[in-house]
Amino acid sequence: MLTAAPPRHLDILMCPPTHFAVEYAINPWMNTAVPVDVARAEQQWEELRATYQRLGHDVRVVEPVPGLPDMVFAANAGVVYDGRVLVSRFTHAERQGESAAYAAWFEAAGYREVRTATVRNEGEGDVLTVGRVMLAAAGTRTTREAHAELAAFFGVPVIGLELVDPRFYHLDTALMVLDEQTVAYYPGAFSAASRAAIEQLFPGAIHATEEDACGFGLNAMSDGVHVVMSDRAPRLAERLQERGYEPIGVDMSELVKAGGSAKCCTLELRA
């Protein structure tokens, strides 16, 4: 059950979907034949930002760069922890230009150390921080070697997990951190060993159904009380309410066409 602890304050970085499009297909959700309504995507993004601000969180905005349609998915920019930044090294050529754009923002913002990963590492897409531990996935995007680099750079334990379902190509599509004691996840996205590790680390972890996972319900942001999540995961929202959390559904249907929802659009800047 949720404790009476107050919500955790979040410092967030987002990037408007000004140049958003599905011009290529680099994950199972992308289909270049399906049109994208950019105006609607911008409305959905603005509502997500407004939701964070209504909850009292701080939102910073990075300027989008033409030719980088997936830059809206700020979670993939890197990992920010203790005032240091490990900028992502993207797998696909179509996204590799995002690294320099985000690195420039972090440097201009005054972060004391900004380094680009030396091996494939797609930031908070595959690296989720729980207190002073990082959960890091190995799959089609981030390599196992990246886990060692994360541990060395940040000086924290990194627990490796394995994704086995190509639909859940990033960790943040298959698992969300609710607070330091609790996660919700879709077991079918993980290897048997990783499922066992999650259950050992987080007794009482909430299990999402395949339907809710495919509705991007796990691609969500939690401050320990409020859970900002896709409005297409009703059963998961019910489970969260049963456990004492307050789910807040947002429509991210246009962004989902590129394989991302609320969490993908949100990078936490951990001081």
Side-chain angles (χ1 to χ4, degrees):
M1 292 294 293
L2 184 68
T3 68
R8 186 169 61 87
H9 177 78
L10 304 179
D11 193 6
I12 288 166
L13 181 65
M14 298 180 69
C15 179
T18 309
H19 308 295
F20 177 63
V22 179
E23 299 174 345
Y24 44 78
I26 59 173
N27 68 56
W29 305 97
M30 302 177 90
N31 183 346
T32 57
V34 176
V36 169
D37 186 334
V38 177
R40 189 177 181 203
E42 290 177 329
Q43 291 172 353
Q44 292 173 350
W45 183 90
E46 289 288 356
E47 178 56 31
L48 178 63
R49 176 170 68 166
T51 298
Y52 289 139
Q53 291 172 328
R54 283 197 300 271
L55 293 172
H57 304 308
D58 289 332
V59 180
R60 307 187 203 185
V61 177
V62 60
E63 188 70 21
V65 176
L68 298 176
D70 280 345
M71 194 171 166
V72 62
F73 299 125
N76 304 142
V79 178
V80 183
Y81 184 85
D82 196 24
R84 307 171 76 207
V85 186
L86 188 64
V87 179
S88 295
R89 181 172 294 275
F90 288 90
T91 298
H92 295 285
E94 292 89 343
R95 298 200 65 182
Q96 288 170 359
E98 295 177 36
S99 296
Y102 276 109
W105 187 91
F106 288 120
E107 289 166 356
Y111 281 84
R112 60 186 172 89
E113 186 171 2
V114 180
R115 185 189 302 176
T116 299
T118 63
V119 293
R120 288 192 291 112
N121 178 339
E122 298 207 349
E124 276 199 348
D126 274 329
V127 184
L128 298 176
T129 302
V130 189
R132 297 195 64 82
V133 173
M134 292 181 181
L135 305 179
T140 59
R141 301 298 186 90
T142 297
T143 66
R144 293 185 183 278
E145 291 76 14
H147 301 176
E149 185 173 32
L150 284 161
F153 183 71
F154 292 112
V156 300
V158 175
I159 298 168
L161 301 172
E162 183 183 11
L163 295 169
V164 296
D165 186 327
R167 295 174 299 175
F168 306 103
Y169 59 97
H170 275 151
L171 180 62
D172 69 356
T173 66
L175 182 148
M176 70 164 148
V177 177
L178 291 160
D179 54 44
E180 293 189 13
Q181 291 78 40
T182 314
V183 302
Y185 78 111
Y186 170 52
F190 296 89
S191 66
S194 293
R195 292 195 300 271
I198 293 168
E199 294 293 333
Q200 182 176 11
L201 286 165
F202 304 102
I206 296 172
H207 291 190
T209 66
E210 181 178 15
E211 180 180 6
D212 281 344
C214 289
F216 282 79
L218 292 164
N219 194 241
M221 284 293 293
S222 171
D223 60 15
V225 176
H226 312 98
V227 183
V228 181
M229 61 184 291
S230 167
D231 62 0
R232 297 188 174 190
R235 178 56 188 143
L236 180 56
E238 291 175 4
R239 294 291 309 279
L240 293 172
Q241 284 184 314
E242 290 168 1
R243 295 285 287 270
Y245 298 94
E246 183 181 332
I248 301 171
V250 290
D251 179 8
M252 301 297 290
S253 55
E254 287 304 308
L255 283 305
V256 165
K257 292 177 180 178
S261 187
K263 176 64 186 78
C264 282
C265 293
T266 311
L267 177 68
E268 185 171 352
L269 305 175
R270 295 175 180 270

